[in-house]
Amino acid sequence: MSTATAVLADQSADQSQDTKNLGYQTFSVGQFRFERDEYFAHIFYPGGRHLMHIEAFLRALMRDVGWGFFYGTVNFDNVLGTLNHYGTVDLFIGLLNEAYRSTNRHYVETFNARDLKKVFEAMLDDWTNEGFDPYAAPDETGVPFGPKHGNNTKALKRERIVAKRMVGLPGDLGYRTDEGGQPVNRQFLDVPQDSPEIHAEPGFEGQVHAFNMFAYTSRSDVTWNPSVVSNVKDSQICATTEEHMLPIFHGNDRVEWFIQICDEIIWDIQDGKTGRPRAKVIMRAGDVAAMPADIRHQGYSPKRSILIVWENNDGTLPQRYSSGQLKPYPVEF
Ligand code: PHB
Ligand code: FE
């Protein structure tokens, strides 16, 4: 064990020299150290090192930062990830990997969410080169490889779009338009752009609202980034356009519903704690699925598709599911 540790220390010293020459900063948080080279992210931690393809790493990091660590777990791959405790967050290696756990090779540190987010934001900004947008479909962006050149801060700073009540209401999010620089995506040229007619009962004028959510979503320039289009108490309807693959395995801490609006997504479902494969779910237009509270999932969308993710924002749910008070699935047939 001590020999292995010494060797790892030497390798990491070499690595630092290489990455310095490429112009990328090295980032440390707690006892984790992150370095990047032309093709890979290297993650060093007490007892080991991990490596990820830089494009997969940056796409996952973008979601983790953009969504404030999201609900539950953001697994960058089957080893590295974050677990949100809503205020603090665990950064882990192998915590939810059966092999790491059974040989006690996992490593976890807990951080104040704000502190970890700052480090992640700085890393994402420094490691993203000009021309690469980690939110864009692979066919709509450049590549992240090579020595450091330029940046893409503007793309990284996109705010997650959240309606207070509903898109199009007075004082709320506006519609997306050509004039506003939000053209219909190349894959959605067949999505009708008309608006619904509203016929309110007498006395209810001004209290009924509707908008064309398909048209709104067809103008999204990002992928795998749900935006809240309506918000009623804890019920959040999140619309998103999906092309290529969800760059994380999302580990639920509550039930989450999916409604497939058009085309097709294939989901890989694994056990949330161990990563054991559980199911493949093929969702076609009109299909509805409830993702249980004890799984992780990653989706693949061969053609750009529209998905609605229905989230329950009730903060008491993680504890009620993890304690067993609630069953991990919402219905019994
Ligand atoms: C999810 O993890 O449930 C998720 C995340 C991003 C998406 C779709 C689904 O775009
Ligand atoms: Fe999810």
Side-chain angles (χ1 to χ4, degrees):
M1 181 66 192
S2 57
T3 316
T5 311
V7 170
L8 279 175
D10 286 344
Q11 283 174 346
S12 64
D14 290 348
Q15 189 66 45
S16 297
Q17 205 44 50
D18 287 350
T19 48
K20 255 184 218 141
N21 295 338
L22 293 169
Y24 295 108
Q25 282 178 47
T26 292
F27 293 87
S28 294
V29 58
Q31 297 202 70
F32 283 91
R33 196 174 79 254
F34 294 81
E35 298 185 357
R36 98 150 264 190
D37 63 22
E38 290 177 89
Y39 286 118
F40 299 105
H42 301 264
I43 300 100
F44 299 87
Y45 58 93
R49 62 181 291 175
H50 185 57
L51 172 148
M52 276 186 74
H53 184 297
I54 192 62
E55 180 166 356
F57 180 83
L58 292 174
R59 287 182 178 280
L61 185 63
M62 180 75 257
R63 275 47 180 203
D64 215 13
V65 165
W67 305 342
F69 304 113
F70 207 26
Y71 295 114
T73 310
V74 172
N75 295 284
F76 284 45
D77 60 8
N78 58 7
V79 174
L80 173 70
T82 58
L83 175 54
N84 197 352
H85 300 293
Y86 311 98
T88 64
V89 56
D90 296 339
L91 176 59
F92 65 77
I93 289 281
L95 179 69
L96 303 173
N97 178 305
E98 204 169 20
Y100 277 68
R101 287 298 291 262
S102 65
T103 51
N104 208 28
R105 303 292 291 204
H106 59 290
Y107 181 74
V108 187
E109 266 187 74
T110 306
F111 298 98
N112 182 305
R114 247 176 297 128
D115 298 341
L116 185 61
K117 190 153 177 264
K118 260 188 225 141
V119 176
F120 275 13
E121 278 168 350
M123 178 157 56
L124 180 64
D125 192 33
D126 187 71
W127 288 10
T128 301
N129 287 318
E130 183 177 2
F132 177 67
D133 179 351
Y135 267 139
D139 213 13
E140 296 186 335
T141 185
V143 297
F145 311 122
K148 183 163 172 60
H149 53 281
N151 61 55
N152 199 1
T153 306
K154 193 166 155 261
L156 309 181
K157 290 274 185 257
R158 283 193 196 94
E159 294 277 319
R160 183 166 182 228
I161 301 167
V162 180
K164 288 200 264 306
R165 290 193 298 157
M166 197 189 285
V167 171
L169 281 175
D172 213 318
L173 291 178
Y175 300 120
R176 294 175 177 151
T177 59
D178 288 346
E179 302 74 52
Q182 293 145 317
V184 176
N185 183 269
R186 77 200 194 291
Q187 301 272 26
F188 289 138
L189 298 176
D190 57 345
V191 174
Q193 297 292 313
D194 56 349
S195 300
E197 290 177 20
I198 301 171
H199 302 277
E201 288 290 314
F204 292 91
E205 298 89 349
Q207 295 184 41
V208 183
H209 176 66
F211 75 107
N212 185 342
M213 195 204 70
F214 304 147
Y216 179 85
T217 308
S218 71
R219 294 170 179 272
S220 169
D221 67 342
V222 293
T223 59
W224 305 100
N225 185 33
S227 57
V228 180
V229 293
S230 90
N231 200 350
V232 180
K233 296 191 177 158
D234 284 323
S235 169
Q236 297 187 324
I237 297 287
C238 311
T240 160
T241 55
E242 319 296 44
E243 182 174 329
H244 188 237
M245 60 195 280
L246 176 60
I248 60 160
F249 257 97
H250 177 221
N252 293 68
D253 63 5
R254 65 197 71 198
V255 169
E256 180 184 53
W257 291 81
F258 291 160
I259 305 165
Q260 188 71 35
I261 299 299
C262 68
D263 301 286
E264 178 177 296
I265 296 180
I266 301 136
W267 291 96
D268 244 340
I269 317 293
Q270 302 176 345
D271 179 78
K273 285 212 166 66
T274 62
R276 287 187 185 188
R278 260 223 216 162
K280 297 262 186 213
V281 175
I282 300 170
M283 294 188 66
R284 302 208 170 99
D287 287 345
V288 178
M291 291 288 152
D294 60 352
I295 58 101
R296 67 182 78 166
H297 51 256
Q298 181 166 50
Y300 311 92
S301 187
K303 181 183 177 300
R304 201 177 187 94
S305 68
I306 297 180
L307 177 72
I308 289 178
V309 183
W310 185 24
E311 297 284 5
N312 188 333
N313 198 36
D314 179 345
T316 68
L317 288 175
Q319 195 275 329
R320 287 158 72 193
Y321 281 113
S322 62
S323 67
Q325 183 199 337
L326 295 175
K327 291 190 176 151
Y329 44 84
V331 275
E332 259 164 27
F333 298 106

